[in-house]
């Protein structure tokens, strides 16, 4: 017998309360016999009007209610095992499920929402929840029933705006937390999440006593706005997925037990930061970076135990920090921190005692120490083979091939920031960059790098450069750089007589910065002698001229102290007030490249001082990068102290400077120099006639030239 | 020898211990001084530059750059070469000067110019210390006197300052006459050699302009010079405060001589007479040979000298002095006969108070003309012109026809260019002729 109750309340004004009660009474009366008779066909509550309920509406048949919300308690209580009961999709205040009939929640047009209480009373309650819809509880959840038992779909959403309490020991395939105020597991918890716990927004507060269970191989998904307070209960394996678009710090869902985490899917485009070291055992898919180091004090490691390679989906993702492969497979490349970073052991013999391999991969990082002179890309690598228990394996006890890679194309992508790790001096030479290892003094090419390096071909081609280096037999600090790059660092001291203001005994070795303070020193050395001799003069552009600058000088590298002709190399540098000659861009000692390592005579020139050259050749090599070439002592200069000007004595030593007053670029101070200075008297600016380098030509400059009359330079030109 | 060594060490110590960066501990060795001097022209500034020796640590002066600003004009850009000119007063320097010689210098050359609104004086010295000027301690040398004048009549302020920073704009050096060496043996350090120009630790002093006061002394004078003309003049010790002068005249009323009604004389005002313009200078001046024509003889005229103060000094008229000049009432005066009685010749002496034409004759008592007097060189005094003078002498030579007795020697004079033709001077002298 099918009973249909039509209500006809399409009036504009609400019905009177007595009418509503009459409707409820009718519903009750019409359904009352169902609980006691054997009729198997459920009745239908079909309401095209509106039901006002502040009491308990018990529904034992299917329900079809068109109104959006309904107050009071609505209890679906059909209790015949063989029957099902259709649940109307609308917003309830309190929604109770009880009885053995399967509660069917299948309307895809809208969810079932329990605004105050969702209560599945006991384990008799089974909900058939369609994948096309979901149940949402906005406040209290007491769930002791089953939702889609045996199935991996069926969403139950905690979607309120105030903190929700969740209890019961029922099962839910997919539990989603979408409540910024969070939810709290109460009354001993016990809720079993069968497929996944999706932490979209808000904190899921749990504890050891009030916890929920994640079934075996269940997932925890986390958006960057969701989190869980404590480690959930888990069985055998737990899988993790992260998504969102802002950098996320991992939380309690990252179970520390080494065997707990099976699969890790990293879909947060802005990256995932590890809160501590974790193990990933089954698979790893990265669509965004994983950072393992929060800061220098909190460096963690990502252990990946599976022999299958991780999947770096997309061009960018990589593990920034330390990744450890714990199950090494011989004879095949094993992917490390990114898809182009690999390790390869040919066989067990070559692997030796290596059971694990750790790579610390630091993109956009200048390989330390900063004082190193070699040209390297801005990526720092630390390699460490380990034993099964994590001890470092001694060098030379194994042989491997390391696949190195770096970002070589500036392209804005999902990362949100474009960058190119290839430093400017290396651009155009990307195909020649090799693996380098720091030997305590400098980085040097290490192993046998396969050149030219490769570039990725998918669009955008060239974002990665990579290659492999064989015969890697040591751990330590590594970089990627140019084997033929810098060979030396020019640490040199020089004084210019003209810029010395305090001279004599008790000499304070400091020069004047008058030109720089007046803003007269150009950012590019002017096209006059001797700077015009430097073919790379325009390259040596200073970004700024600091107040510590005295002027531009040049240093020439020559094979002979006397033979004239072009030098092998000219460096145009800035001279600082303390006598240091520095690179105009870095204000650090100039890194020398472009010539072979070897012995050279160094000649120093300035626009209105006499040049000098070292008497003996100097070894220019990476092993000598800490050497300081001192041009201020008046010794080891061709021509001896007579080639320079005594400018002061202090503590038993003499200080010498270049002889000032030579304004005609003739290597000799003659009457012409004197006359030229006089003829340019009163001029102000960056002038060659300004022999004391203070920005104006006076008789003071005239006297500098006069007092050095007939002095000459023996340095070659 | 020990003195030389001491001097050596002293000089070396100066060289070594005179770092510009430690000025507070250093006694300056020299002082550069700029000294404005009183210049009567407000459109002109005159100043002197000195180098003063302060210590015994140097003797011979080498060269300098001195940059000077007008403290009043500097904020608005300083001197403008389109308006201002800078002049070096020749012979104002104590230095031996020569033109600049690029080949060699054996004396000093002064270069002066406006640079960036400032006055910059550069002096280059001789190559050899033997040609350098020695400065006695504690004496000074005057580098020279300079003038800055405006061509548009604008005032040229007098306050001058050395441009700062001093270590940037200013320079001063001496010339060393021996090598500067410290230590010996392996510690021997040579800092300067003979003829070098080491820098001088110099202080810079700006002196205030001298006070500008008007204390001129005048000597106003005049005299009648004949032809009803009065010649006036005055001497003045310093007329820089005056634009010019005016001389007024008043006829003294005998009945009320204390009331003088001075009237301007068109030719006796600086507006019309350039000689009455002030020289606008400090040097004593003479303004003379100023003539004024009077109308009346036998009267007294008063002349009053008035000075016109320059606007800068008050822009007023200052009555300086008044003199009185009497116009003589006779044009022949003090006529005397020197020999009387006389026989063959007698001489008449007279003064001429004004230029005149004179006729001198002798008559007997009957009125008959006996003869005409003659000048000492024998020319008859017949309508003869005489200029103002004294002790003129003419003679009467007794003619043969003259008989003994009294004669009337009559001198009749007519003023030349007199306003009144009737004005004449007649003198009759009784002379006794003896035969």
């Amino acid at each position: 017998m099918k009973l249909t109750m039509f209500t006809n309340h399409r009036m504009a004004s609400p019905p009177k309360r007595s009418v509503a009660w009459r409707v409820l009474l009718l519903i009750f009366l019409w359904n009352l016999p169902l609980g006691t008779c054997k009729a198997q066909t459920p009745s239908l509550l079909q309401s095209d009007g509106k039901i006002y309920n502040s009491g308990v509406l018990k529904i034992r048949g299917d329900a079809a209610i068109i109104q959006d919300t309904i107050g009071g308690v609505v209890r679906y209580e059909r209790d015949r095992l063989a029957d099902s009961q259709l649940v109307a999709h609308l917003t309830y205040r309190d929604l109770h499920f009880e009885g053995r009939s399967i509660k069917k929640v299948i309307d895809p047009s809208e969810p079932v929402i329990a605004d105050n209480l969702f209560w599945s009373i006991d384990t008799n309650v089974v909900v058939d929840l369609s994948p096309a819809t979901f149940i949402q509880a906005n406040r209290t959840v007491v769930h002791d029933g089953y939702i889609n038992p045996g199935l991996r779909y069926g969403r139950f959403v905690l979607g309120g705006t105030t903190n929700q309490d969740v209890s019961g020991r029922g099962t839910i395939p997919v539990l989603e937390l979408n409540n910024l105020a969070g939810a709290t597991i109460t009354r001993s918890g016990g809720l079993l999440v069968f497929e996944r716990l999706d932490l979209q927004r808000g904190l899921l507060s749990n504890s050891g006593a009030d916890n929920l269970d994640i079934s075996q191989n269940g997932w925890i998904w986390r958006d960057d706005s969701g989190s869980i307070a404590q480690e959930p209960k888990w069985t055998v394996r737990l899988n993790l997925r992260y998504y969102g678009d802002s950098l996320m710090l991992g939380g309690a869902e990252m179970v520390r037990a080494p065997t707990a985490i099976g699969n890790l899917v990293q879909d947060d485009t802005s990256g995932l930061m590890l809160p501590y070291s974790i193990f990933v055992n089954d698979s790893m898919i990265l669509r965004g970076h994983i950072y393992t180091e929060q800061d220098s004090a909190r460096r963690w490691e990502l252990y990946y135990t599976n022999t299958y390679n991780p999947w770096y989906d997309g061009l960018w993702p990589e593990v920034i920090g330390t990744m450890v492969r714990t199950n090494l497979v011989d004879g095949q490349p094993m992917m490390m921190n990114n898809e182009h970073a690999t390790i390869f052991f040919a066989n067990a013999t070559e692997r030796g005692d290596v059971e694990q391999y750790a790579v610390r991969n630091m993109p956009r990082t200048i390989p330390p120490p900063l004082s190193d002179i070699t040209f390297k890309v801005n990526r720092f690598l630390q390699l460490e083979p380990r034993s099964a228990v994590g001890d470092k394996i001694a060098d030379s006890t194994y042989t491997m091939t390391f696949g190195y890679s770096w970002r070589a194309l500036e392209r804005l992508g999902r990362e949100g920031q474009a960058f190119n790790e290839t430093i400017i001096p290396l651009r155009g030479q990307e195909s020649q960059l090799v693996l380098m290892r720091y030997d305590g003094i400098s980085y040097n090419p290490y192993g046998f790098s396969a050149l030219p390096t490769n570039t990725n071909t998918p669009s955008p081609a060239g974002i990665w450069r990579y290659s492999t280096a064989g015969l890697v037999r040591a751990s330590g600090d590594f970089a990627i750089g140019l084997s033929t790059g810098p060979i030396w660092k020019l640490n040199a001291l020089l004084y210019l007589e003209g810029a010395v203001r305090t001279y004599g005994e008790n000499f304070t070795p400091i020069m004047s910065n008058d030109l720089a303070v007046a803003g007269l020193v150009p950012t590019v050395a002017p096209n006059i002698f001797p700077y015009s001799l430097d073919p790379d003069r325009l390259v040596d552009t200073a970004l700024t001229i600091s107040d510590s600058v005295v002027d531009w000088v040049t240093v020439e590298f020559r094979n002979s102290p006397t033979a004239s002709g072009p030098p092998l190399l000219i460096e145009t540098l800035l001279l600082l007030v303390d006598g240091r000659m520095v690179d105009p861009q870095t204000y650090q000692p100039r890194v020398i490249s472009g010539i072979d390592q070897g012995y050279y005579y160094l000649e120093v020139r300035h626009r209105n001082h006499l040049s000098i050259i070292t008497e003996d050749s100097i070894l220019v090599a990476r092993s000598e990068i800490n050497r300081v070439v001192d041009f201020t002592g008046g010794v080891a200069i061709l021509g001896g102290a007579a080639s320079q000007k005594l400018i002061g004595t202090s503590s038993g030593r003499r200080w010498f400077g270049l002889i000032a007053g030579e304004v005609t670029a003739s290597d000799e101070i003659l009457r012409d120099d004197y006359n030229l200075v006089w003829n340019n008297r009163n001029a102000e600016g960056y002038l060659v006639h300004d022999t004391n380098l203070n920005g104006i030509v006076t008789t003071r400059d005239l006297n500098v030239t006069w007092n050095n009359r007939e002095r000459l330079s023996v340095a070659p030109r | 020898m020990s003195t030389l060594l001491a001097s050596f060490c002293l000089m070396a110590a100066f060289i070594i211990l005179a770092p510009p960066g430690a000025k507070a501990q250093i006694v300056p060795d020299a002082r550069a001084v700029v000294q404005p001097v009183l210049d009567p022209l407000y459109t002109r500034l005159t100043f002197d530059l000195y180098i003063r020796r302060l210590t015994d640590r140097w003797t011979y002066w080498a060269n300098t750059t001195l940059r000077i600003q007008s403290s009043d004009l500097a904020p608005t850009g300083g001197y403008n070469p389109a308006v201002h000119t800078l002049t070096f007063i020749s012979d104002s320097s104590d230095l031996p000067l020569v033109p600049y010689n690029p080949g060699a210098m054996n004396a000093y050359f002064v270069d002066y110019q406006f640079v960036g609104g400032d006055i910059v004086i550069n002096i280059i010295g001789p190559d050899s210390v033997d040609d350098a000027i020695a400065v006695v301690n504690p004496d000074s040398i005057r580098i020279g006197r300079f003038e800055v004048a405006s061509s548009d009549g604008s005032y040229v302020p007098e306050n001058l300052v050395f441009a700062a920073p001093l270590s940037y704009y200013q320079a001063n050096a001496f010339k060393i006459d021996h090598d500067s060496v410290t230590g010996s043996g392996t510690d021997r350090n040579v800092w300067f050699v003979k003829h070098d120009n080491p820098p001088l630790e110099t202080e810079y002093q700006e002196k205030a302009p001298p006070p500008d006061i008007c204390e001129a002394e005048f000597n106003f004078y005049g005299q009648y010079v004949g032809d009803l003309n009065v010649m006036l003049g005055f001497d003045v010790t310093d007329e820089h405060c005056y634009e010019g002068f005016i001389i007024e005249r008043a006829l003294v009323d005998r009945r009320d001589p204390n009331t003088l009604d001075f009237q301007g004389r068109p030719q006796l005002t600086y507006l019309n007479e350039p000689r009455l313009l002030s020289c606008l200078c400090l040097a004593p001046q003479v303004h003379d040979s100023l003539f004024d024509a009077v109308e009346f003889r036998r009267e007294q005229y008063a002349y009053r000298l008035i000075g016109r103060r320059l606007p800068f000094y008050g822009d007023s008229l200052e009555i300086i002095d008044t003199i009185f000049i009497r116009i003589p009432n006779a044009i022949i005066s003090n006529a005397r006969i020197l020999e009387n009685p006389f026989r063959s010749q007698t001489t008449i002496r007279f003064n001429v108070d004004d230029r005149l034409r004179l006729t001198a004759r002798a008559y007997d008592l009957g009125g008959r003309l006996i003869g005409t007097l003659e000048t000492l060189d024998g020319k008859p005094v017949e309508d003869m012109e005489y200029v103002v003078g004294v002790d003129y002498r003419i003679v009467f030579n007794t003619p043969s026809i003259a008989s003994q007795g009294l004669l009337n020697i009559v001198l009749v004079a007519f003023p030349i260019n007199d306003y009144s033709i009737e004005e004449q001077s007649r003198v009759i002298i009784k002379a006794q002729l003896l035969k």
Side-chain angles (χ1 to χ4, degrees):
Chain A
M1 181 179 64
K2 181 177 180 181
L3 298 177
T4 301
M5 186 190 76
F6 291 96
T7 58
N8 188 12
H9 295 296
R10 295 174 180 143
M11 59 191 73
S13 57
K16 295 179 180 178
R17 181 176 296 273
S18 58
V19 175
W21 276 110
R22 281 198 296 272
V23 171
L24 291 175
L25 180 60
L26 283 173
I27 293 171
F28 177 76
L29 294 175
W30 279 106
N31 285 279
L32 185 61
L34 295 177
T36 57
C37 70
K38 294 183 179 179
Q40 296 302 307
T41 303
S43 60
L44 173 64
L45 170 58
Q46 180 165 343
S47 170
D48 292 333
K50 183 157 187 178
I51 303 171
Y52 292 87
N53 177 30
S54 59
V56 177
L57 176 58
K58 297 180 179 179
I59 304 175
R60 293 177 179 161
D62 294 337
I65 305 172
I66 65 166
Q67 65 194 82
D68 293 333
T69 62
I70 186 167
V73 176
V74 177
R75 180 180 295 171
Y76 288 87
E77 58 180 22
R78 188 170 182 81
D79 188 31
R80 289 184 63 85
L81 185 59
D83 291 347
S84 63
Q85 185 177 18
L86 194 62
V87 177
H89 285 228
L90 71 160
T91 298
Y92 301 87
R93 183 176 182 277
D94 288 355
L95 175 62
H96 294 191
F97 287 157
E98 63 177 277
R100 289 169 296 172
S101 299
I102 295 174
K103 308 299 182 283
K104 298 185 76 68
V105 180
I106 58 174
D107 183 359
S109 63
E110 58 180 323
V112 171
I113 298 174
D115 203 34
N116 182 59
L117 172 65
F118 175 88
W119 187 11
S120 61
I121 292 176
D122 53 32
T123 56
N124 289 326
V125 176
V126 175
V127 179
D128 176 10
L129 177 57
S130 165
T133 186
F134 59 91
I135 300 170
Q136 176 173 322
N138 289 343
R139 197 157 186 180
T140 300
V141 175
V142 181
H143 178 52
D144 286 302
Y146 299 95
I147 298 176
N148 291 355
L151 300 177
R152 306 194 76 87
Y153 62 84
R155 297 168 56 209
F156 191 99
V157 179
L158 301 174
T161 56
T162 59
N163 188 270
Q164 299 176 244
D165 58 302
V166 179
S167 63
R169 306 183 67 82
T171 66
I172 298 175
V174 176
L175 176 62
E176 297 179 2
L177 174 62
N178 186 11
N179 180 354
L180 280 177
T184 303
I185 307 297
T186 62
R187 293 187 285 277
S188 300
L191 196 65
L192 176 63
V193 177
F194 201 74
E195 171 60 20
R196 70 171 180 267
L197 169 64
D198 189 351
L199 303 168
Q200 297 172 0
R201 294 197 302 165
L203 170 65
L204 181 61
S205 299
N206 58 339
S207 65
D210 299 323
N211 211 343
L212 49 71
D213 289 347
I214 307 294
S215 71
Q216 181 175 343
N217 291 323
W219 288 79
I220 297 179
W221 288 12
R222 261 193 69 190
D223 196 355
D224 45 33
S225 300
S227 60
I228 185 169
Q230 298 292 331
E231 181 178 302
K233 291 181 180 177
W234 55 277
T235 304
V236 184
R237 280 283 199 268
L238 178 69
N239 303 311
L240 299 176
R241 175 177 179 258
Y242 295 87
Y243 61 101
D245 55 10
S246 60
L247 180 63
M248 183 170 13
L249 177 63
E253 76 283 350
M254 287 188 166
V255 177
R256 293 173 186 258
T259 61
I261 301 175
N263 303 301
L264 173 63
V265 178
Q266 207 301 79
D267 285 336
D268 188 329
T269 55
S270 293
L272 167 67
M273 181 79 74
L274 296 189
Y276 35 74
S277 296
I278 63 168
F279 286 77
V280 177
N281 296 283
D282 295 333
S283 73
M284 208 162 63
I285 301 172
L286 275 70
R287 297 186 179 89
H289 299 314
I290 292 178
Y291 299 90
T292 72
E293 298 178 8
Q294 292 175 251
D295 50 48
S296 59
R298 290 180 288 184
R299 287 185 180 177
W300 317 118
E301 293 182 337
L302 173 61
Y303 293 88
Y304 184 54
T305 67
N306 201 283
T307 57
Y308 292 109
N309 283 331
W311 180 25
Y312 294 99
D313 186 11
L315 287 168
W316 292 275
E318 55 184 325
V319 177
I320 297 173
T322 302
M323 177 178 175
V324 184
R325 295 293 297 261
T326 62
N327 280 300
L328 304 181
V329 178
D330 299 329
Q332 71 176 47
M334 300 192 73
M335 201 175 287
M336 294 299 297
N337 300 54
N338 62 55
E339 65 174 327
H340 300 294
T342 58
I343 57 173
F344 175 81
F345 290 96
N347 50 54
T349 303
E350 294 199 345
R351 183 160 53 85
D353 295 330
V354 178
E355 297 292 340
Q356 302 179 8
Y357 202 88
V359 175
R360 182 166 179 254
N361 169 56
M362 301 301 290
R364 285 189 284 179
T365 304
I366 299 172
L370 297 180
S371 57
D372 182 68
I373 60 172
T374 49
F375 290 152
K376 308 175 289 293
V377 303
N378 287 334
R379 178 171 291 246
F380 178 47
L381 300 168
Q382 287 180 303
L383 310 184
E384 185 176 290
R386 295 175 179 173
S387 68
V389 294
D391 294 335
K392 181 179 174 184
I393 298 297
D395 293 346
S396 303
T397 63
Y398 60 92
T399 301
M400 63 171 284
T401 297
F402 180 72
Y404 60 93
S405 58
W406 78 97
R407 293 279 294 274
L409 181 66
E410 188 170 316
R411 183 179 174 86
L412 187 61
R414 290 184 299 175
E415 297 166 298
Q417 183 179 2
F419 63 92
N420 182 352
E421 294 172 341
T422 311
I423 62 175
I424 291 175
L426 291 178
R427 295 192 181 173
Q429 303 180 83
E430 289 88 344
S431 63
Q432 300 303 312
L433 304 193
V434 300
L435 184 67
M436 306 181 85
R437 180 172 177 269
Y438 186 66
D439 62 7
I441 298 176
S442 176
Y443 280 90
N444 287 295
Y446 185 81
F448 288 95
S449 297
L451 297 179
T453 58
N454 304 301
T455 185
N456 62 309
T457 51
S459 178
I463 194 167
W464 286 98
R465 297 293 303 209
Y466 59 93
S467 185
T468 59
L471 286 180
V472 174
R473 309 187 73 216
S475 59
D477 296 345
F478 287 79
I480 303 161
L482 193 62
S483 62
T484 58
I487 58 168
W488 196 49
K489 190 156 56 178
L490 177 57
N491 282 298
L493 285 176
L494 175 75
Y495 287 98
L496 300 176
E497 179 203 358
V500 172
R501 298 286 180 264
T502 61
Y503 54 95
E505 291 179 344
N506 299 317
F507 176 68
T508 301
I510 197 82
M511 286 181 284
S512 165
N513 59 350
D514 290 348
L515 294 179
V517 170
L520 297 175
V521 180
T523 54
V524 179
N527 190 24
I528 60 173
F529 178 86
Y531 319 116
S532 55
L533 301 176
D534 183 1
D536 295 327
R537 176 180 62 87
L538 297 177
V539 177
D540 291 321
T541 301
L543 300 178
T544 60
I545 298 297
S546 84
D547 283 353
S548 62
V549 168
V550 176
D551 201 359
W552 291 95
V553 294
T554 64
V555 178
E556 297 180 358
F557 290 69
R558 291 179 171 271
N559 281 333
S560 165
T562 55
S564 60
L568 299 171
L569 178 70
I570 302 176
E571 298 288 3
T572 300
L573 306 170
L574 286 173
L575 179 65
L576 305 184
V577 292
D578 59 3
R580 290 182 296 130
M581 289 185 281
V582 298
D583 184 295
Q585 294 179 349
T586 66
Y587 279 73
Q588 297 295 320
R590 180 56 163 254
V591 174
I592 303 302
S593 62
I595 56 175
D596 296 332
Q597 298 188 56
Y599 286 91
Y600 294 93
Y601 297 87
L602 303 189
E603 181 170 352
V604 181
R605 296 188 191 277
H606 180 260
R607 59 194 171 99
N608 59 20
H609 286 65
L610 290 177
S611 307
I612 58 172
I613 191 169
T614 56
E615 187 173 31
D616 300 315
S617 60
I618 292 172
L619 176 58
V620 175
R622 283 184 182 144
S623 60
E624 296 288 308
I625 61 171
N626 293 323
R627 174 172 185 164
V628 176
V629 182
D630 189 354
F631 292 102
T632 69
V635 295
I637 304 298
L638 186 64
S643 296
Q644 290 183 276
K645 186 68 176 284
L646 176 65
I647 55 176
T649 61
S650 175
S651 302
R653 73 155 285 183
R654 293 170 174 161
W655 300 86
F656 289 83
L658 297 190
I659 298 169
E662 203 282 283
V663 302
T664 54
S666 63
D667 293 332
E668 188 173 5
I669 300 176
L670 300 170
R671 190 82 190 185
D672 286 347
D673 299 282
Y674 186 69
N675 290 328
L676 273 175
V677 175
W678 171 254
N679 291 339
N680 286 276
R681 61 194 178 278
N682 306 326
E684 292 184 78
Y686 186 79
L687 305 164
V688 72
H689 314 100
D690 174 23
T691 59
N692 71 342
L693 305 178
N694 72 339
I696 189 170
V697 181
T698 66
T699 51
R700 201 183 297 269
D701 302 280
L702 191 72
N703 294 332
V704 170
T705 297
W706 172 257
N707 294 343
N708 291 322
R709 59 198 176 281
E710 299 178 2
R711 302 289 293 267
L712 54 84
S713 169
V714 295
R717 183 181 293 195
Chain B
M1 183 64 183
S2 61
T3 304
L4 178 61
L5 184 60
S7 173
F8 236 55
C9 295
L10 195 62
M11 182 58 70
F14 159 66
I15 302 300
I16 296 162
L17 300 175
K23 288 181 178 176
Q25 303 170 4
I26 297 299
V27 176
D29 294 287
R31 178 186 301 143
V33 180
V34 57
Q35 169 69 72
V37 297
L38 185 60
D39 191 313
L41 288 180
Y42 74 100
T43 58
R44 190 177 64 196
L45 159 70
T46 303
F47 64 91
D48 291 332
L49 289 175
Y50 296 92
I51 297 293
R52 185 174 182 82
R53 179 177 167 184
L54 300 179
T55 68
D56 290 332
R57 296 187 289 198
W58 64 283
T59 301
Y60 300 96
W61 185 74
N63 56 35
T64 191
T65 296
L66 298 174
R67 187 165 182 139
I68 299 161
Q69 295 176 332
S70 165
S71 54
D72 298 306
L73 295 179
T76 55
Y79 297 107
N80 178 3
V83 173
H84 298 104
T85 56
L86 177 63
T87 307
F88 172 57
I89 306 300
S90 60
D91 299 329
S92 65
S93 176
D94 294 338
L95 304 171
L97 300 178
V98 292
Y100 176 67
N101 179 3
M105 289 293 293
N106 57 10
Y108 296 86
F109 172 71
V110 178
D111 173 72
Y112 50 96
Q113 53 185 294
F114 292 124
V115 178
D118 299 338
I119 299 166
V120 182
I121 311 294
N122 280 291
I123 299 178
I124 188 171
D127 298 345
S128 170
V129 68
D130 300 331
D131 296 324
I133 188 170
V135 184
V136 178
N137 185 22
D139 204 350
S140 302
I141 53 171
R142 183 162 83 164
I143 290 177
R145 172 166 290 185
F146 300 85
E147 290 180 350
V148 180
S150 68
S151 59
D152 62 351
S154 59
Y155 170 62
V156 181
E158 298 168 296
N159 291 308
L160 298 174
V161 294
F162 285 101
L166 297 172
S167 62
Y168 178 75
Y169 285 116
Q170 319 297 337
N172 195 21
F174 72 100
K175 210 152 189 69
I176 192 168
D177 58 349
H178 52 258
D179 292 352
S180 170
V181 180
T182 59
S184 60
T186 57
D187 294 329
R188 186 173 188 271
N189 295 319
V190 179
W191 301 97
F192 289 99
V193 298
K194 185 179 179 181
H195 306 301
D196 274 2
N197 300 337
L200 272 171
E201 184 63 29
T202 305
E203 65 180 18
Y204 296 87
Q205 181 181 27
E206 297 117 357
K207 291 195 171 181
D212 187 359
I213 53 177
C214 300
E215 290 185 335
E217 294 181 3
F218 289 86
N219 174 30
F220 185 32
Y221 51 84
Q223 66 177 18
Y224 180 73
V225 293
D227 294 349
L228 287 176
N229 282 321
V230 170
M231 185 177 73
L232 299 163
F234 62 93
D235 304 333
V236 57
T237 56
D238 166 14
E239 61 182 17
H240 79 275
C241 296
Y242 300 92
E243 181 180 0
F245 301 94
I246 300 168
I247 298 174
E248 294 178 335
R249 189 184 76 181
L251 179 62
V252 178
D253 187 345
R254 293 173 184 162
R255 294 164 296 179
D256 185 11
N258 293 324
T259 301
L260 299 175
D261 180 18
F262 282 101
Q263 301 293 324
R265 308 294 295 157
Q267 81 284 7
L268 293 179
T269 171
Y270 70 95
L271 299 174
N272 299 323
E273 173 53 72
R275 289 181 297 165
L276 284 171
L277 284 170
S278 168
C279 70
L280 304 175
C281 62
L282 298 169
Q285 299 292 311
V286 175
H287 301 267
D288 61 359
S289 300
L290 301 165
F291 292 93
D292 183 45
V294 297
E295 288 102 11
F296 306 108
R297 299 181 186 278
R298 297 181 298 277
E299 296 291 345
Q300 192 173 35
Y301 286 89
Y303 286 92
R304 184 166 71 178
L305 177 63
I306 298 173
R308 176 73 187 187
R309 289 284 188 108
L310 287 163
F312 187 73
Y313 299 103
D315 196 17
S316 61
L317 293 172
E318 175 191 354
I319 298 173
I320 297 169
D321 198 4
T322 301
I323 59 173
F324 294 87
I325 299 175
R326 184 172 183 79
I327 308 302
N329 60 357
I331 55 175
I332 297 176
S333 60
N334 295 325
R336 296 286 187 271
I337 183 167
L338 300 183
E339 300 95 13
N340 195 14
F342 68 99
R343 290 184 184 277
S344 59
Q345 187 184 62
T346 189
T347 301
I348 304 299
R349 189 189 68 183
F350 60 92
N351 294 343
V352 174
D353 295 337
D354 206 344
R355 196 158 60 94
L356 54 76
R357 304 193 74 83
L358 177 67
T359 298
R361 291 171 180 165
Y363 298 90
D364 62 12
L365 293 178
R368 290 173 297 196
L369 176 64
I370 300 303
T372 300
L373 281 72
E374 298 175 343
T375 62
L376 295 180
D377 55 357
K379 294 179 180 174
V381 182
E382 190 79 44
D383 199 23
M384 178 173 286
E385 182 174 336
Y386 279 84
V387 298
V388 176
V390 298
D391 199 22
Y392 281 108
R393 295 183 185 224
I394 54 178
V395 298
F396 177 70
N397 294 309
T398 307
S400 59
I401 60 169
S403 56
Q404 180 172 305
L406 285 173
L407 297 177
N408 288 325
I409 296 175
V410 179
L411 305 180
V412 178
F414 290 89
I416 296 177
N417 298 330
D418 200 343
Y419 298 110
S420 170
I421 193 61
E422 290 81 9
E423 287 280 345
Q424 59 178 289
S425 178
R426 180 185 297 267
V427 174
I428 300 175
I429 299 171
K430 296 295 186 180
Q432 179 67 47
L433 175 61
L434 298 178
K435 282 285 190 170

